[in-house]
Amino acid sequence: MANLVIIGMQWGDEGKGKIVDLICPAFDAVARFQGGHNAGHTVKFGDQHFSLHLIPSGILHPEMRCVLGSGMVIAPDAFLSERDGLRAGGIDDRDRLFLSSRATVLLPCHAALDQARERARGDAAIGTTSRGIGPAYESRAGRYGLRLVDLLAPDLEERLDRLVGMVGGHLAAAGGDERLEVAPLLEQCRRWADELAPAICDTEALLAGWLAAGKGLLFEGAQGTLLDRDHGTYPFVTSSNCTTGGAAVGAGVPPTRIDGAVGILKAYSTRVGAGPFVTELHDEAGEFLRSRGNEFGTTTGRPRRCGWLDLVAGRFSQRLNGIDAIALTKLDVLDDLDEIKVCTAYRIDGRETQEFPASLHDLERAEPVYRSLPGWRQGTVGALERRQLPAAAQAYIEFIEGEIGATVDLISTGPRREETIVSTEGPLAALLGDRLEGVLAERSAG
Ligand code: GDP
Ligand code: IMO
Ligand code: MG
């Protein structure tokens, strides 16, 4: 049974939640490996609508085991309210939701620091989700962070003292005026420890056991490749590794046990927050994509910046992630257009390049070189086979495959499970083997 990782190939919000929900019947467990409640994954089926932030989208399947891996930053209050919200909606997580004892605890003071830093940056703000993600990862890398297992440790108070001292110093330097106090935080941490204790465990050992037993694991990425801390549009990035390489480290499984990667690619581009975006549209076309695609953040409600598909970024993403199969999402959003543009190269100071630049200065000056493709002006929603799509839509998909060098094995034409074309041949079908049947059944069940 193959173990797969799913990641976003752009700036997040590609539709990872929908695709994870659809293909998870082919797996026995789903694990998140990075990020925190900056993520917002939307899943819709029947008359239900869920927004998941910390908990893997697999939780909506009653039998699926779900892991929050060591590479995550977990805010206990956000986790508990998300879990309670799911319980209120009839989703029972008991005995199948596991938190890595090695995951980092994200505390309210991390969020306060994130917000103070953003205020201090003024016009140069990153546009973070203000959840405290960067400062939490910073505490971890600086070796004064708190892990979930430390919530249960006898020296919790000393650890908190050190953490609050460090974060408080950064907060004052950023002009924040909150006073951080250890005593109420200690109380709060003890309450969280009691509530979380039953779910905290050695998830790395759990995953190793499942692997040894031949179970199939799905690793659910959050954010997207161009927000990757090391490879994205630095410094306008998040603070974790959202590329496929992050899955092994962040879940604590050997990279040699991950058999393939599915890249989620939206049929156009969006970005939330600041930072370079070469194909961004400030005109009616951008407005069309935003309203037609309902491009408003799941986590913060912010309008997403919109633009044409950027294949320079797409090829870069393919090179970094080694994508075996692409899931192309939101194709339906393009249904009514006469003309669709795709960026195939950048022009920087009059010179054309196919490479995604490392330099922020170059990215900010890059102009898109577009190829114009005909639109199809016909509905695609609910098509179940690729050959049922209008010829121009098929040509659009083939163009993307040729440029990126990977096949499109899933095509999403709406937010719901049944609005997906699932290829029964090709790399994804080969990786899933017999288990593809489960995915097809899920799609028909809606
Ligand atoms: P994620 O963060 O990658 O999981 O993506 P989000 O859930 O934040 O954003 C994707 C949005 O597009 C959600 O509102 C989905 O319900 C919706 N969506 C997903 N796939 C499709 C699709 O093929 N067509 C349309 N119209 N909406 C989709
Ligand atoms: P999903 O999983 C889109 C962006 C923020 C900001 C930058 C840094 O739903 O695709 P952070 O709070 O992480 O320090 O913010 O990253 N960002 C996302 N954009 N989708 C997300 O998650 C994002 N998570 C963070 O807008 O630009
Ligand atoms: Mg999202």
Side-chain angles (χ1 to χ4, degrees), residues 11-13 16 38-41 126-129 133 222-223 227 237-238 272-273 302:
W11 284 275
D13 303 324
K16 297 175 290 293
N38 48 349
H41 299 173
I126 288 166
T128 70
T129 59
I133 304 296
Q223 289 79 52
L227 291 172
V237 292
T238 191
V272 201
R302 291 179 289 178

PDB file of all heavy atoms in Angstrom, residues 11-13 16 38-41 126-129 133 222-223 227 237-238 272-273 302, ligand 2:
ATOM      1  N   TRP A  11       0.446  29.279  -3.438  1.00  0.00           N
ATOM      2  CA  TRP A  11       0.555  30.050  -2.190  1.00  0.00           C
ATOM      3  C   TRP A  11      -0.509  29.630  -1.186  1.00  0.00           C
ATOM      4  O   TRP A  11      -0.964  30.454  -0.390  1.00  0.00           O
ATOM      5  CB  TRP A  11       0.424  31.540  -2.498  1.00  0.00           C
ATOM      6  CG  TRP A  11       1.643  32.155  -3.096  1.00  0.00           C
ATOM      7  CD1 TRP A  11       2.739  32.644  -2.430  1.00  0.00           C
ATOM      8  CD2 TRP A  11       1.907  32.374  -4.495  1.00  0.00           C
ATOM      9  NE1 TRP A  11       3.654  33.142  -3.339  1.00  0.00           N
ATOM     10  CE2 TRP A  11       3.176  32.995  -4.597  1.00  0.00           C
ATOM     11  CE3 TRP A  11       1.197  32.107  -5.663  1.00  0.00           C
ATOM     12  CZ2 TRP A  11       3.740  33.352  -5.823  1.00  0.00           C
ATOM     13  CZ3 TRP A  11       1.769  32.453  -6.880  1.00  0.00           C
ATOM     14  CH2 TRP A  11       3.027  33.064  -6.953  1.00  0.00           C
ATOM     15  N   GLY A  12      -0.937  28.398  -1.219  1.00  0.00           N
ATOM     16  CA  GLY A  12      -1.969  27.952  -0.287  1.00  0.00           C
ATOM     17  C   GLY A  12      -3.356  28.102  -0.885  1.00  0.00           C
ATOM     18  O   GLY A  12      -3.532  28.681  -1.967  1.00  0.00           O
ATOM     19  N   ASP A  13      -4.339  27.512  -0.214  1.00  0.00           N
ATOM     20  CA  ASP A  13      -5.743  27.606  -0.621  1.00  0.00           C
ATOM     21  C   ASP A  13      -6.001  27.023  -2.005  1.00  0.00           C
ATOM     22  O   ASP A  13      -6.878  27.495  -2.742  1.00  0.00           O
ATOM     23  CB  ASP A  13      -6.239  29.068  -0.562  1.00  0.00           C
ATOM     24  CG  ASP A  13      -6.066  29.662   0.823  1.00  0.00           C
ATOM     25  OD1 ASP A  13      -6.246  28.909   1.804  1.00  0.00           O
ATOM     26  OD2 ASP A  13      -5.748  30.861   0.923  1.00  0.00           O
ATOM     27  N   LYS A  16      -6.651  21.858  -0.933  1.00  0.00           N
ATOM     28  CA  LYS A  16      -6.073  20.655  -0.323  1.00  0.00           C
ATOM     29  C   LYS A  16      -7.122  19.901   0.483  1.00  0.00           C
ATOM     30  O   LYS A  16      -7.201  18.678   0.425  1.00  0.00           O
ATOM     31  CB  LYS A  16      -4.888  21.039   0.589  1.00  0.00           C
ATOM     32  CG  LYS A  16      -3.734  21.684  -0.164  1.00  0.00           C
ATOM     33  CD  LYS A  16      -2.627  22.154   0.768  1.00  0.00           C
ATOM     34  CE  LYS A  16      -3.008  23.338   1.606  1.00  0.00           C
ATOM     35  NZ  LYS A  16      -3.224  24.603   0.897  1.00  0.00           N
ATOM     36  N   ASN A  38      -2.930  28.576  11.226  1.00  0.00           N
ATOM     37  CA  ASN A  38      -2.904  29.507  10.084  1.00  0.00           C
ATOM     38  C   ASN A  38      -3.612  28.865   8.885  1.00  0.00           C
ATOM     39  O   ASN A  38      -4.115  29.562   8.010  1.00  0.00           O
ATOM     40  CB  ASN A  38      -1.458  29.902   9.712  1.00  0.00           C
ATOM     41  CG  ASN A  38      -0.492  28.726   9.604  1.00  0.00           C
ATOM     42  OD1 ASN A  38      -0.813  27.611   9.993  1.00  0.00           O
ATOM     43  ND2 ASN A  38       0.696  28.974   9.080  1.00  0.00           N
ATOM     44  N   ALA A  39      -3.645  27.543   8.845  1.00  0.00           N
ATOM     45  CA  ALA A  39      -4.285  26.827   7.739  1.00  0.00           C
ATOM     46  C   ALA A  39      -5.805  26.933   7.845  1.00  0.00           C
ATOM     47  O   ALA A  39      -6.355  27.039   8.936  1.00  0.00           O
ATOM     48  CB  ALA A  39      -3.888  25.353   7.779  1.00  0.00           C
ATOM     49  N   GLY A  40      -6.459  26.891   6.695  1.00  0.00           N
ATOM     50  CA  GLY A  40      -7.916  26.826   6.670  1.00  0.00           C
ATOM     51  C   GLY A  40      -8.302  25.923   5.517  1.00  0.00           C
ATOM     52  O   GLY A  40      -8.108  26.276   4.362  1.00  0.00           O
ATOM     53  N   HIS A  41      -8.756  24.715   5.828  1.00  0.00           N
ATOM     54  CA  HIS A  41      -9.081  23.729   4.797  1.00  0.00           C
ATOM     55  C   HIS A  41     -10.594  23.506   4.790  1.00  0.00           C
ATOM     56  O   HIS A  41     -11.164  23.097   5.793  1.00  0.00           O
ATOM     57  CB  HIS A  41      -8.343  22.415   5.063  1.00  0.00           C
ATOM     58  CG  HIS A  41      -6.844  22.570   5.037  1.00  0.00           C
ATOM     59  ND1 HIS A  41      -5.978  21.571   5.377  1.00  0.00           N
ATOM     60  CD2 HIS A  41      -6.062  23.619   4.690  1.00  0.00           C
ATOM     61  CE1 HIS A  41      -4.726  21.995   5.244  1.00  0.00           C
ATOM     62  NE2 HIS A  41      -4.757  23.246   4.838  1.00  0.00           N
ATOM     63  N   ILE A 126       4.143  41.498   6.688  1.00  0.00           N
ATOM     64  CA  ILE A 126       4.058  40.273   5.887  1.00  0.00           C
ATOM     65  C   ILE A 126       2.605  39.906   5.595  1.00  0.00           C
ATOM     66  O   ILE A 126       2.308  39.257   4.601  1.00  0.00           O
ATOM     67  CB  ILE A 126       4.793  39.143   6.648  1.00  0.00           C
ATOM     68  CG1 ILE A 126       6.304  39.408   6.572  1.00  0.00           C
ATOM     69  CG2 ILE A 126       4.466  37.761   6.090  1.00  0.00           C
ATOM     70  CD1 ILE A 126       7.126  38.608   7.530  1.00  0.00           C
ATOM     71  N   GLY A 127       1.714  40.406   6.454  1.00  0.00           N
ATOM     72  CA  GLY A 127       0.317  40.012   6.288  1.00  0.00           C
ATOM     73  C   GLY A 127       0.108  38.605   6.823  1.00  0.00           C
ATOM     74  O   GLY A 127      -0.559  37.783   6.193  1.00  0.00           O
ATOM     75  N   THR A 128       0.704  38.319   7.981  1.00  0.00           N
ATOM     76  CA  THR A 128       0.544  36.981   8.558  1.00  0.00           C
ATOM     77  C   THR A 128      -0.916  36.788   8.984  1.00  0.00           C
ATOM     78  O   THR A 128      -1.695  37.746   8.999  1.00  0.00           O
ATOM     79  CB  THR A 128       1.425  36.786   9.822  1.00  0.00           C
ATOM     80  OG1 THR A 128       0.887  37.586  10.877  1.00  0.00           O
ATOM     81  CG2 THR A 128       2.873  37.165   9.569  1.00  0.00           C
ATOM     82  N   THR A 129      -1.216  35.578   9.373  1.00  0.00           N
ATOM     83  CA  THR A 129      -2.573  35.308   9.862  1.00  0.00           C
ATOM     84  C   THR A 129      -2.733  35.798  11.302  1.00  0.00           C
ATOM     85  O   THR A 129      -3.796  35.617  11.887  1.00  0.00           O
ATOM     86  CB  THR A 129      -2.874  33.802   9.805  1.00  0.00           C
ATOM     87  OG1 THR A 129      -1.900  33.131  10.614  1.00  0.00           O
ATOM     88  CG2 THR A 129      -2.800  33.264   8.382  1.00  0.00           C
ATOM     89  N   ILE A 133       2.283  32.011  14.494  1.00  0.00           N
ATOM     90  CA  ILE A 133       2.997  30.879  13.892  1.00  0.00           C
ATOM     91  C   ILE A 133       4.512  31.114  13.874  1.00  0.00           C
ATOM     92  O   ILE A 133       5.294  30.263  14.333  1.00  0.00           O
ATOM     93  CB  ILE A 133       2.483  30.634  12.444  1.00  0.00           C
ATOM     94  CG1 ILE A 133       0.963  30.421  12.432  1.00  0.00           C
ATOM     95  CG2 ILE A 133       3.241  29.478  11.784  1.00  0.00           C
ATOM     96  CD1 ILE A 133       0.436  29.220  13.138  1.00  0.00           C
ATOM     97  N   ALA A 222      -0.155  21.698   4.607  1.00  0.00           N
ATOM     98  CA  ALA A 222      -0.878  22.963   4.759  1.00  0.00           C
ATOM     99  C   ALA A 222      -0.034  24.040   4.075  1.00  0.00           C
ATOM    100  O   ALA A 222       1.117  23.797   3.713  1.00  0.00           O
ATOM    101  CB  ALA A 222      -1.077  23.291   6.226  1.00  0.00           C
ATOM    102  N   GLN A 223      -0.628  25.207   3.866  1.00  0.00           N
ATOM    103  CA  GLN A 223       0.009  26.281   3.109  1.00  0.00           C
ATOM    104  C   GLN A 223       0.405  25.773   1.711  1.00  0.00           C
ATOM    105  O   GLN A 223      -0.243  24.869   1.206  1.00  0.00           O
ATOM    106  CB  GLN A 223       1.218  26.870   3.866  1.00  0.00           C
ATOM    107  CG  GLN A 223       0.838  27.693   5.086  1.00  0.00           C
ATOM    108  CD  GLN A 223       0.495  26.878   6.315  1.00  0.00           C
ATOM    109  OE1 GLN A 223       1.251  26.023   6.736  1.00  0.00           O
ATOM    110  NE2 GLN A 223      -0.641  27.120   6.908  1.00  0.00           N
ATOM    111  N   LEU A 227       5.128  29.361  -0.058  1.00  0.00           N
ATOM    112  CA  LEU A 227       5.147  29.897   1.306  1.00  0.00           C
ATOM    113  C   LEU A 227       6.144  29.118   2.162  1.00  0.00           C
ATOM    114  O   LEU A 227       6.276  29.376   3.359  1.00  0.00           O
ATOM    115  CB  LEU A 227       3.753  29.829   1.941  1.00  0.00           C
ATOM    116  CG  LEU A 227       2.680  30.762   1.362  1.00  0.00           C
ATOM    117  CD1 LEU A 227       1.305  30.436   1.949  1.00  0.00           C
ATOM    118  CD2 LEU A 227       3.032  32.221   1.631  1.00  0.00           C
ATOM    119  N   VAL A 237       6.821  34.531   3.603  1.00  0.00           N
ATOM    120  CA  VAL A 237       6.574  33.090   3.665  1.00  0.00           C
ATOM    121  C   VAL A 237       6.005  32.760   5.044  1.00  0.00           C
ATOM    122  O   VAL A 237       5.967  33.625   5.923  1.00  0.00           O
ATOM    123  CB  VAL A 237       7.899  32.302   3.470  1.00  0.00           C
ATOM    124  CG1 VAL A 237       8.424  32.464   2.054  1.00  0.00           C
ATOM    125  CG2 VAL A 237       8.965  32.723   4.484  1.00  0.00           C
ATOM    126  N   THR A 238       5.631  31.509   5.233  1.00  0.00           N
ATOM    127  CA  THR A 238       5.299  31.067   6.579  1.00  0.00           C
ATOM    128  C   THR A 238       6.587  30.501   7.195  1.00  0.00           C
ATOM    129  O   THR A 238       7.661  30.605   6.603  1.00  0.00           O
ATOM    130  CB  THR A 238       4.117  30.071   6.566  1.00  0.00           C
ATOM    131  OG1 THR A 238       3.688  29.873   7.921  1.00  0.00           O
ATOM    132  CG2 THR A 238       4.480  28.736   5.925  1.00  0.00           C
ATOM    133  N   VAL A 272      -2.702  35.227  -0.275  1.00  0.00           N
ATOM    134  CA  VAL A 272      -3.220  36.066   0.822  1.00  0.00           C
ATOM    135  C   VAL A 272      -2.019  36.666   1.534  1.00  0.00           C
ATOM    136  O   VAL A 272      -1.033  35.979   1.744  1.00  0.00           O
ATOM    137  CB  VAL A 272      -4.019  35.259   1.874  1.00  0.00           C
ATOM    138  CG1 VAL A 272      -4.932  36.167   2.661  1.00  0.00           C
ATOM    139  CG2 VAL A 272      -4.804  34.156   1.237  1.00  0.00           C
ATOM    140  N   GLY A 273      -2.112  37.917   1.919  1.00  0.00           N
ATOM    141  CA  GLY A 273      -0.979  38.554   2.574  1.00  0.00           C
ATOM    142  C   GLY A 273      -0.072  39.191   1.529  1.00  0.00           C
ATOM    143  O   GLY A 273      -0.330  39.122   0.323  1.00  0.00           O
ATOM    144  N   ARG A 302      -9.896  37.405   4.766  1.00  0.00           N
ATOM    145  CA  ARG A 302      -9.337  38.453   3.898  1.00  0.00           C
ATOM    146  C   ARG A 302      -9.586  38.118   2.428  1.00  0.00           C
ATOM    147  O   ARG A 302      -9.502  36.953   2.035  1.00  0.00           O
ATOM    148  CB  ARG A 302      -7.814  38.553   4.102  1.00  0.00           C
ATOM    149  CG  ARG A 302      -7.415  39.105   5.445  1.00  0.00           C
ATOM    150  CD  ARG A 302      -5.919  39.155   5.599  1.00  0.00           C
ATOM    151  NE  ARG A 302      -5.322  37.829   5.751  1.00  0.00           N
ATOM    152  CZ  ARG A 302      -4.016  37.603   5.861  1.00  0.00           C
ATOM    153  NH1 ARG A 302      -3.166  38.599   5.807  1.00  0.00           N
ATOM    154  NH2 ARG A 302      -3.555  36.379   6.021  1.00  0.00           N
TER     155      ARG A 302
HETATM  156  P1  IMO B   2      -3.870  26.893   3.834  1.00  0.00           P
HETATM  157  O1  IMO B   2      -3.384  25.627   4.520  1.00  0.00           O
HETATM  158  C1  IMO B   2      -2.925  30.883   2.361  1.00  0.00           C
HETATM  159  C2  IMO B   2       0.160  33.113   4.542  1.00  0.00           C
HETATM  160  C3  IMO B   2      -0.270  34.368   5.264  1.00  0.00           C
HETATM  161  C4  IMO B   2       0.988  35.212   5.143  1.00  0.00           C
HETATM  162  C5  IMO B   2       2.088  34.165   5.293  1.00  0.00           C
HETATM  163  C6  IMO B   2       2.672  34.069   6.692  1.00  0.00           C
HETATM  164  O2  IMO B   2      -5.291  27.203   4.101  1.00  0.00           O
HETATM  165  O3  IMO B   2      -3.515  26.855   2.392  1.00  0.00           O
HETATM  166  P2  IMO B   2       1.741  33.010   8.937  1.00  0.00           P
HETATM  167  O4  IMO B   2       0.526  33.333   9.742  1.00  0.00           O
HETATM  168  O5  IMO B   2       1.794  31.600   8.463  1.00  0.00           O
HETATM  169  O6  IMO B   2       3.022  33.439   9.597  1.00  0.00           O
HETATM  170  O7  IMO B   2       1.609  33.953   7.626  1.00  0.00           O
HETATM  171  O8  IMO B   2       1.516  32.925   4.926  1.00  0.00           O
HETATM  172  N1  IMO B   2      -0.587  31.889   4.890  1.00  0.00           N
HETATM  173  C7  IMO B   2      -1.502  31.320   4.109  1.00  0.00           C
HETATM  174  N2  IMO B   2      -2.010  31.708   2.919  1.00  0.00           N
HETATM  175  N3  IMO B   2      -3.319  29.711   2.908  1.00  0.00           N
HETATM  176  C8  IMO B   2      -2.805  29.290   4.082  1.00  0.00           C
HETATM  177  O9  IMO B   2      -3.054  28.069   4.585  1.00  0.00           O
HETATM  178  C9  IMO B   2      -1.885  30.131   4.757  1.00  0.00           C
HETATM  179  N4  IMO B   2      -1.204  30.043   5.929  1.00  0.00           N
HETATM  180  C10 IMO B   2      -0.412  31.116   5.991  1.00  0.00           C
HETATM  181  O10 IMO B   2      -1.385  34.961   4.631  1.00  0.00           O
HETATM  182  O11 IMO B   2       1.067  35.727   3.835  1.00  0.00           O
END
